[in-house]
């Protein structure tokens, strides 16, 4: 009733039973399909089990080597059934992939790390129409401490994109894959000096007013750099605050 878009992000399911995992994925995607008028994207947190942050618990739709698991087929079953019930409103012009079969429901996204593009670029382009950099847009990756100290006047947060961030953003831009940014505010992977006088680790903690200015400039400067550096990149969503209530993903 609020009119806000809903997006499911950082989705993975850990269980020792692959059939149980498949049933849970099926339930979640069925819920998403049933509410596709409100849900605009579903993002899996990783492309395959071997690179997941929970790799020892096999939480994703694909195993090592991008081999589809029982959960993948369960999700595809939901997509196919939904298309059959709605006069085949998926993309029937090409291969049966996640992004094609859910095309007219919501975006299907994944988090990625830059090294994956060496071996998994074709797989990513095949199945996903949204990418979230796993770490490359987090505060510790893009806040430039030296520039903050020399140019920030204690309030203007300076940012820069390192090589890994550039690789990810360029991949999205070159392949027309929309970006979901991640993240500005998080208790982890944010350097302590970001909260201190002159952005110095030895300084005192600054006031709430100064932190508000730093956060505002952090957000504005990031979007400005994205627009200048990648003018053809579609940034359709951004995780402004991450894990505000629970810290386990």
């Amino acid at each position: 009733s609020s009119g806000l878009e809903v997006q499911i992000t950082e989705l993975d399911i850990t269980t020792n039973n692959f059939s149980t995992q498949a049933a849970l994925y099926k339930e979640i995607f069925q819920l998403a399909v049933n509410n596709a008028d409100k849900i605009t994207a579903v993002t899996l947190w990783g492309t395959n089990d071997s690179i997941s942050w929970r790799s020892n618990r096999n939480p994703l739709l694909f195993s090592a080597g991008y081999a589809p698991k029982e959960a993948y087929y369960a999700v595809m079953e939901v997509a196919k059934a939904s298309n059959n019930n709605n006069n085949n409103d998926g993309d029937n012009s090409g291969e049966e992939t996640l992004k094609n079969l859910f095309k007219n429901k919501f975006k299907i996204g994944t988090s990625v790390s830059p090294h994956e593009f060496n071996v998994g670029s074709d797989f990513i382009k095949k199945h996903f129409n949204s990418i979230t950099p796993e770490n490359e847009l987090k505060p510790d990756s893009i806040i430039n401490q030296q520039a903050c100290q020399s140019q920030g006047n204690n309030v203007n947060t300076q940012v820069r994109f390192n090589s890994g961030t550039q690789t990810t953003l360029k991949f999205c831009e070159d392949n027309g894959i929309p970006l979901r940014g991640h993240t500005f505010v998080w208790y982890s992977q944010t350097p302590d000096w970001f909260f201190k006088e002159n952005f110095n680790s030895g300084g005192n903690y600054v006031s709430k007013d100064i932190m508000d200015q730093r956060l505002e400039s952090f957000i504005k400067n990031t979007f400005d750099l994205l627009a200048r550096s990648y003018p053809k990149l579609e940034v359709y969503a951004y995780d402004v605050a991450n894990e505000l209530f629970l810290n386990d993903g």
Side-chain angles (χ1 to χ4, degrees):
S1 60
S2 67
L4 296 174
E5 293 183 2
V6 176
Q7 297 184 1
I8 299 172
T9 186
E10 298 197 37
L11 175 60
D12 59 17
I13 297 175
T14 57
T15 175
N16 293 324
N17 186 299
F18 284 168
S19 294
T20 299
Q21 182 185 57
L24 290 170
Y25 267 113
K26 184 175 182 179
E27 181 179 353
I28 290 171
F29 271 87
Q30 187 63 64
L31 178 66
V33 165
N34 292 345
N35 293 276
D37 58 326
K38 306 176 186 68
I39 294 175
T40 58
V42 177
T43 296
L44 297 156
W45 208 243
T47 57
N48 71 87
D49 289 339
S50 68
I51 53 84
S52 168
W53 70 296
R54 291 171 164 170
S55 59
N56 62 328
R57 301 182 68 187
N58 305 307
L60 296 167
L61 301 183
F62 299 89
S63 62
Y66 306 106
K69 294 163 54 180
E70 187 176 347
Y72 166 77
Y73 294 109
V75 169
M76 294 295 275
E77 182 181 334
V78 172
K80 292 176 184 178
S82 173
N83 291 333
N84 289 335
N85 292 336
N86 291 279
N87 299 316
N88 295 309
D89 67 352
D91 183 353
N92 296 313
S93 62
E95 193 174 359
E96 287 188 343
T97 67
L98 289 169
K99 71 174 185 180
N100 285 349
L101 289 183
F102 285 110
K103 180 179 180 180
N104 293 324
K105 299 295 190 301
F106 37 71
K107 287 183 173 63
I108 295 292
T110 183
S111 66
V112 299
S113 295
H115 65 84
E116 289 188 72
F117 299 126
N118 295 327
V119 294
S121 60
D122 289 340
F123 171 85
I124 292 168
K125 289 186 288 186
K126 173 181 176 180
H127 279 289
F128 302 103
N129 52 13
S130 168
I131 281 179
T132 302
E134 186 172 7
N135 294 295
E136 287 67 39
L137 286 175
K138 288 176 179 173
D140 63 352
S141 291
I142 67 173
I143 298 178
N144 187 334
Q145 183 180 19
Q146 184 176 357
C148 285
Q149 292 174 336
S150 62
Q151 306 170 36
N153 296 318
N154 204 38
V155 293
N156 193 350
T157 305
Q158 303 296 302
V159 298
R160 54 89 178 95
F161 296 150
N162 61 31
S163 60
T165 306
Q166 293 173 28
T167 297
T168 303
L169 298 177
K170 191 72 166 62
F171 180 85
C172 291
E173 184 179 51
D174 288 349
N175 292 285
I177 302 177
L179 177 83
R180 179 186 178 89
H182 178 80
T183 178
F184 289 119
V185 180
W186 192 28
Y187 68 88
S188 182
Q189 289 181 252
T190 302
D192 192 52
W193 50 258
F194 183 49
F195 303 94
K196 295 190 174 183
E197 288 288 344
N198 196 34
F199 301 95
N200 192 311
S201 58
N204 295 321
Y205 286 105
V206 300
S207 67
K208 178 180 180 297
D209 178 63
I210 289 177
M211 278 311 305
D212 285 345
Q213 293 179 72
R214 288 185 179 185
L215 181 57
E216 181 177 355
S217 63
F218 179 26
I219 294 171
K220 288 181 176 179
N221 291 341
T222 299
F223 279 111
D224 180 63
L225 185 57
L226 282 168
R228 285 188 285 109
S229 302
Y230 304 94
K232 296 180 181 179
L233 174 64
E234 177 188 350
V235 182
Y236 79 96
Y238 215 108
D239 293 326
V240 176
N242 187 49
E243 295 181 350
L244 292 180
F245 305 106
L246 295 173
N247 64 356
D248 60 355

